[in-house]
Amino acid sequence: MGVMGAIKMKKILIIEDDKLIAELERDYLEIGGFEIEIAMNGDEGLNLALNKEFDLILLDLMLPGKSGFQICKEVRKHKEIPILMVTAKKESIDKIRGLGIGADDYIVKPFDPSELVARVNAHLSRYDRLTTIEKKKELSELEVMNFGRLKIYTKAWRVYVEDKEIKFANKEFELLLFLATNPNIVFSKTALLDRIWGMDSLADVPTVTVHINRIREKIEENSSNPKYIETVWGAGYRFKI
C-alpha cells in the first residue's frame, strides 16, 4: 500500500436538498481531499448522521422532512463532530437558533466555494487537536478544574456535573473554559464574541447570550439563579468563585 493509500480521508456528510448546490459543495470538497456522502432530505440525512461515521456535517437549514435545526439538535445529543449550517436566510434569529442548538458555525448562500473549503478545514483541524492525545488518557491523569459539583477537564474538553458527563458543543466549551480560567473578571458580550468566535465568523452579539443560557442550563442547579456564571447588568458576564 502506498503512502496515499495509508492516509484515511476525512468523510463529510452533506445534507442539502438543492442538487446543484450539493454537487458544487461535493466537487470542491472532493478536490480538497475529502470523501463525500450526500443526503437530499432531512430524514435521510439524520439517519446517516446517526448511524454512520463522519468527521463533519455540512447541514442545510431548510430541508424537506426534518429541518436543519431538528437534525442539529438530535445529532448533538449523540456526537460532538463539527456541524456547519448552510442557510440562505440572513435574519439574526436564524443565526442565533442555528448556533444555539450546537452548530459550530454557519455560512450564508451564495458563498465562495473556496471559503467553504477553508471553513471545513479550519473546523476539522481544531477538532483534531482536541481529540488526539488527551482523550486517550484516563481522566485521573488530566488537568481538571474543580468547582464542587462542576469539574472541567481542560485538556480533554470534557465537563462533569455531579460526576455525570455533560455534552458540550465546541463553542460552549470554549466559552465556559475561558470564563472559568479568568474567574471574577467581567467580560462584555462583545469581548467574549471576539475572543471565542473571532473575526472570521458571522456570529453576532446575541449568539453569546444564547450560549451563556445553554451553558447555564447544563451546569447550574437553577439556571434562573446561576451560581457559576453571573450576569453583571450593563457590563457582561463573569465566572464567580
Side-chain angles (χ1 to χ4, degrees):
M1 182 181 293
V3 174
M4 291 300 295
I7 299 174
K8 183 182 178 183
M9 295 176 68
K10 296 288 188 182
K11 193 167 185 179
I12 296 174
L13 173 61
I14 296 174
I15 307 177
E16 167 64 68
D17 64 317
D18 187 313
K19 189 171 186 288
L20 292 177
I21 292 177
E23 290 177 348
L24 177 68
E25 293 171 343
R26 179 199 63 198
D27 291 347
Y28 271 85
L29 289 167
E30 284 184 343
I31 291 171
F34 299 104
E35 182 180 345
I36 307 299
E37 190 157 347
I38 296 175
M40 301 294 292
N41 64 70
D43 296 321
E44 178 192 3
L46 179 59
N47 181 58
L48 286 172
L50 294 180
N51 294 297
K52 295 185 72 173
E53 293 301 318
F54 295 96
D55 296 288
L56 181 144
I57 298 174
L58 195 59
L59 176 59
D60 188 44
L61 177 63
M62 304 301 292
L63 294 162
K66 293 188 181 298
S67 72
F69 291 135
Q70 292 172 306
I71 293 171
C72 185
K73 188 174 182 180
E74 191 62 31
V75 170
R76 270 290 167 259
K77 294 178 182 177
H78 306 282
K79 299 187 177 184
E80 300 174 9
I81 61 172
I83 298 175
L84 274 64
M85 295 194 94
V86 180
T87 175
K89 292 190 174 185
K90 296 183 179 179
E91 293 85 347
S92 62
I93 185 62
D94 284 330
K95 298 177 184 177
I96 294 167
R97 289 181 65 195
L99 288 168
I101 58 173
D104 295 282
D105 203 354
Y106 54 84
I107 188 167
V108 179
K109 301 174 186 175
F111 52 81
D112 181 345
S114 61
E115 179 190 357
L116 172 66
V117 176
R119 292 273 194 96
V120 167
N121 275 313
H123 283 282
L124 285 171
S125 295
R126 174 183 293 171
Y127 186 73
D128 283 345
R129 288 197 301 271
L130 301 178
T131 57
T132 49
I133 300 173
E134 295 297 343
K135 282 199 172 183
K136 296 178 182 178
K137 296 182 178 180
E138 294 295 329
L139 287 179
S140 59
E141 299 176 27
L142 300 180
E143 182 179 341
V144 59
M145 301 178 73
N146 195 329
F147 304 102
R149 62 191 296 272
L150 170 66
K151 293 182 177 64
I152 304 172
Y153 290 88
T154 60
K155 301 296 185 182
W157 281 52
R158 299 170 77 172
V159 178
Y160 281 74
V161 176
E162 293 181 341
D163 296 323
K164 179 182 178 182
E165 184 172 8
I166 307 298
K167 295 295 184 182
F168 272 69
N170 287 345
K171 292 301 183 186
E172 293 171 4
F173 185 88
E174 287 184 42
L175 182 55
L176 173 62
L177 181 60
F178 178 71
L179 289 170
T181 51
N182 296 279
N184 300 322
I185 300 174
V186 179
F187 293 95
S188 69
K189 294 177 184 178
T190 302
L192 292 172
L193 180 68
D194 183 60
R195 175 63 178 78
I196 304 303
W197 280 267
M199 300 299 292
D200 62 340
S201 175
L202 296 176
D204 47 17
V205 169
T207 299
V208 177
T209 304
V210 171
H211 279 66
I212 290 289
N213 290 338
R214 287 181 59 82
I215 293 169
R216 283 173 170 165
E217 290 172 2
K218 293 179 178 183
I219 68 173
E220 302 282 1
E221 290 185 273
N222 181 0
S223 60
S224 61
N225 184 26
K227 172 184 175 183
Y228 296 111
I229 299 179
E230 182 178 47
T231 299
V232 180
W233 297 109
Y237 302 104
R238 68 180 167 206
F239 191 91
K240 186 178 179 182
I241 61 172

